Amino acid sequence: LAPTITSAAIPFAWSHFTGFRVVDEHAGFLGEIDYVDDSTSNVLFNVGSLLIPAVEEFVVEIDHPARTIRVNLPSELLDLNE
């Protein structure tokens, strides 16, 4: 399992990311984060019907002023959410 983005790396509450746009490097715009499920150790960004693990392995860049998270998701993960 990939390590999660820790609170030491992210000086914000997970709820801060609600409303951020999520853009995949290959699939393009995926939607906005509806809410962040941080009820377990595996934090998930809920983007419409997509569940995206909030892990360093997938997050390429977080642009706070533009409220955008750029990700590089494996195609298998996108296929699971179809």
Side-chain angles (χ1 to χ4, degrees), residues 45-66:
F45 294 136
N46 291 267
V47 180
S49 63
L50 294 172
L51 297 175
I52 301 172
V55 294
E56 291 174 338
E57 178 182 353
F58 298 154
V59 176
V60 175
E61 176 186 31
I62 300 173
D63 184 340
H64 290 274

Side-chain angles (χ1 to χ4, degrees), residues 32-81:
E32 291 186 0
I33 297 174
D34 298 317
Y35 66 96
V36 180
D37 181 354
D38 62 351
S39 63
T40 69
S41 61
N42 298 312
V43 176
L44 297 170
F45 294 136
N46 291 267
V47 180
S49 63
L50 294 172
L51 297 175
I52 301 172
V55 294
E56 291 174 338
E57 178 182 353
F58 298 154
V59 176
V60 175
E61 176 186 31
I62 300 173
D63 184 340
H64 290 274
R67 296 183 52 82
T68 301
I69 298 176
R70 190 163 49 95
V71 296
N72 186 6
L73 300 177
S75 60
E76 297 84 6
L77 181 63
L78 292 171
D79 293 344
L80 285 174
N81 286 288

